[in-house]
Amino acid sequence: RHLLLALRSGELNRVARAIAVEVGFSSQRGTHSRKRTEEVLRKSIALSERANQPYVRGLSLLNQGIAQFLWGNYRNGKELCDQAQAILREQCTGVTWELDTAQLFAMFCILWLGEWGEMRDRYELYRKQAEDRGDLYLLAWLRPRISHLVMLAADDPKGAEEEERIGRSAWPRRHFDLLRWEDTFVQTDILLYNNRPLEAWEFLSGQWAAISKSLVLRIQVVAVEAQMLRARSLLALLGAGELPPNLGFNRKQAFAMVETCARKLVNEKSRWTDSLALHFRACLAATGGEHQSALDLATRTEQGFRAVEMAPYALAIRRRRGELIGGEEGAALIQSADAEFLRLTVKNPARVTAWLAPGKWSRG
């Protein structure tokens, strides 16, 4: 409606703003809407140059950054969101929502890049600034999604649980919206980090009807995260041993369910989801005792994650390869992964590896 009314008005600045925002909305479907989004993006860049107004430039850069994030181009997304922040902060007024959004999407990019030390520093700064000005919107997004990763990287799941509880209690939950999804993701993620896969699976399954009925799965990154959570929960269950009899499915069916998650990730048709599909197939092969296949898949997986700059997953699968290979060669892989994990400020690499790459990775 905003875009249509702006076009009807014919006023350049209004049209430039509306087209910029349309880039962000169009990109929500990720690779499925990329052709249209790129067309709108080109128009946004051209109009922002014609308008030559700081707010229009900042808004255009912000939505370009959002599109890059949703396409899995995290480095570009971070840089564009940071450029937007600089213009909005230094040259504009009355742009709290725009600044909040630029900060959040820059941090989402940092989250996937695995630069968790920088994420921690930004989180502490942005949280303090938001608390000082009473910015409940930014705090609602910082808690729980960003805070829980900061806490888990520091091996502090109790702190993550407390941040999640504070965030959940401070925001109304009348409908299953994006904030409700973020909270569902975080609660499941913390249970998996705490090696409580049955509770994680039961909690996620209990929310699945509401997730499916809402519109959040139309956003590609949310649909991907949902499949990731399902796959990780199932792999953690399989790695723990015999499945409880009251689950409603057996071990063979659980393997098939993980493979279904992998196929859905491939259907998203992007490099980062292809890498995730390989990742879960490697975990599945290792859990099923197909060790050589697991090693081959894990090698390809690490290469894929390196190409898209998803460092935590690349390090987790490298460490898993080391565990499976054993001996001096395996120990060297584990040591190199741990050294890089520590550089990313991960306090407990073994626990993070089990969290991100679950399943049974031992030959015994």
Side-chain angles (χ1 to χ4, degrees):
R1 187 180 302 144
H2 176 207
L3 174 57
L4 291 172
L5 290 172
L7 289 168
R8 196 175 300 164
S9 77
E11 199 275 312
L12 177 60
N13 286 341
R14 292 179 184 275
V15 174
R17 292 200 303 265
I19 290 287
V21 173
E22 184 64 19
V23 171
F25 283 119
S26 179
S27 64
Q28 290 181 2
R29 302 242 333 130
T31 52
H32 300 301
S33 60
R34 183 159 185 164
K35 184 177 180 180
R36 177 185 186 275
T37 303
E38 286 176 337
E39 181 182 349
V40 179
L41 191 152
R42 286 191 293 270
K43 292 178 180 177
S44 176
I45 293 171
L47 285 168
S48 69
E49 290 174 354
R50 281 179 57 194
N52 196 28
Q53 294 290 328
Y55 178 75
V56 173
R57 288 202 307 274
L59 193 63
S60 179
L61 286 167
L62 166 58
N63 284 279
Q64 290 174 52
I66 291 171
Q68 292 295 329
F69 164 73
L70 291 168
W71 291 335
N73 300 328
Y74 306 118
R75 186 72 57 191
N76 291 344
K78 174 188 172 186
E79 291 172 359
L80 286 162
C81 288
D82 282 346
Q83 290 174 34
Q85 280 191 66
I87 292 173
L88 293 166
R89 182 181 296 107
E90 296 166 11
Q91 301 180 45
C92 304
T93 58
V95 290
T96 301
W97 176 84
E98 292 86 342
L99 269 173
D100 285 355
T101 305
Q103 290 173 348
L104 285 168
F105 275 93
M107 292 188 74
F108 292 155
C109 291
I110 293 168
L111 178 160
W112 287 100
L113 288 167
E115 295 171 349
W116 290 346
E118 182 179 355
M119 182 173 66
R120 176 201 60 210
D121 295 342
R122 289 196 187 209
Y123 167 73
E124 291 173 354
L125 172 64
Y126 296 160
R127 186 183 69 175
K128 183 179 185 307
Q129 291 174 343
E131 288 173 342
D132 288 346
R133 64 175 180 264
D135 188 343
L136 299 181
Y137 172 80
L138 182 56
L139 287 171
W141 281 97
L142 290 175
R143 290 179 174 131
R145 186 57 183 274
I146 302 299
S147 65
H148 103 282
L149 278 173
V150 170
M151 298 295 177
L152 295 186
D155 198 24
D156 182 12
K158 289 190 179 298
E161 289 173 356
E162 178 62 15
E163 286 290 294
E164 183 277 326
R165 185 194 63 77
I166 293 171
R168 177 159 37 94
S169 64
W171 198 259
R173 294 293 191 272
R174 290 185 292 271
H175 308 288
F176 199 100
D177 55 14
L178 275 174
L179 279 171
R180 177 80 175 273
W181 160 252
E182 294 292 310
D183 189 66
T184 298
F185 183 97
V186 167
Q187 288 191 62
T188 309
D189 219 23
I190 294 171
L191 288 168
L192 290 172
Y193 188 86
N194 282 327
N195 195 27
R196 293 156 62 185
L198 179 58
E199 291 174 67
W201 174 258
E202 289 178 339
F203 174 72
L204 181 62
S205 298
Q207 298 292 314
W208 199 255
I211 294 169
S212 300
K213 289 178 182 177
S214 74
L215 298 178
V216 298
L217 292 179
R218 297 186 64 176
I219 303 171
Q220 186 180 49
V221 68
V222 175
V224 170
E225 288 174 340
Q227 296 305 319
M228 288 171 62
L229 276 187
R230 285 173 66 85
R232 286 170 52 213
S233 299
L234 288 163
L235 284 162
L237 274 170
L238 289 165
E242 291 299 318
L243 300 182
N246 60 345
L247 266 180
F249 54 85
N250 58 30
R251 189 173 179 83
K252 182 179 179 180
Q253 290 168 322
F255 271 78
M257 291 162 71
V258 176
E259 175 56 31
T260 297
C261 293
R263 283 200 306 272
K264 288 184 177 181
L265 290 170
V266 171
N267 289 340
E268 297 296 339
K269 300 185 186 307
S270 69
R271 291 192 305 160
W272 71 288
T273 57
D274 286 347
S275 297
L276 284 166
L278 278 175
H279 177 75
F280 292 126
R281 283 169 172 158
C283 294
L284 205 56
T287 304
E290 300 174 10
H291 299 143
Q292 189 55 54
S293 177
L295 289 172
D296 293 342
L297 287 166
T299 300
R300 292 169 56 199
T301 296
E302 184 179 354
Q303 293 169 351
F305 283 140
R306 288 291 178 193
V308 295
E309 296 190 85
M310 292 171 63
Y313 280 90
L315 296 178
I317 204 68
R318 183 197 301 177
R319 202 179 195 283
R320 285 304 207 189
R321 278 201 300 131
E323 294 173 16
L324 201 53
I325 292 170
E328 292 184 3
E329 181 184 355
L333 285 171
I334 291 171
Q335 185 177 9
S336 69
D338 286 356
E340 287 198 48
F341 264 133
L342 292 173
R343 183 180 60 79
L344 298 178
T345 69
V346 171
K347 187 175 180 180
N348 192 335
R351 196 169 182 183
V352 166
T353 294
W355 171 51
L356 296 180
K360 185 181 179 183
W361 283 83
S362 62
R363 291 183 179 269

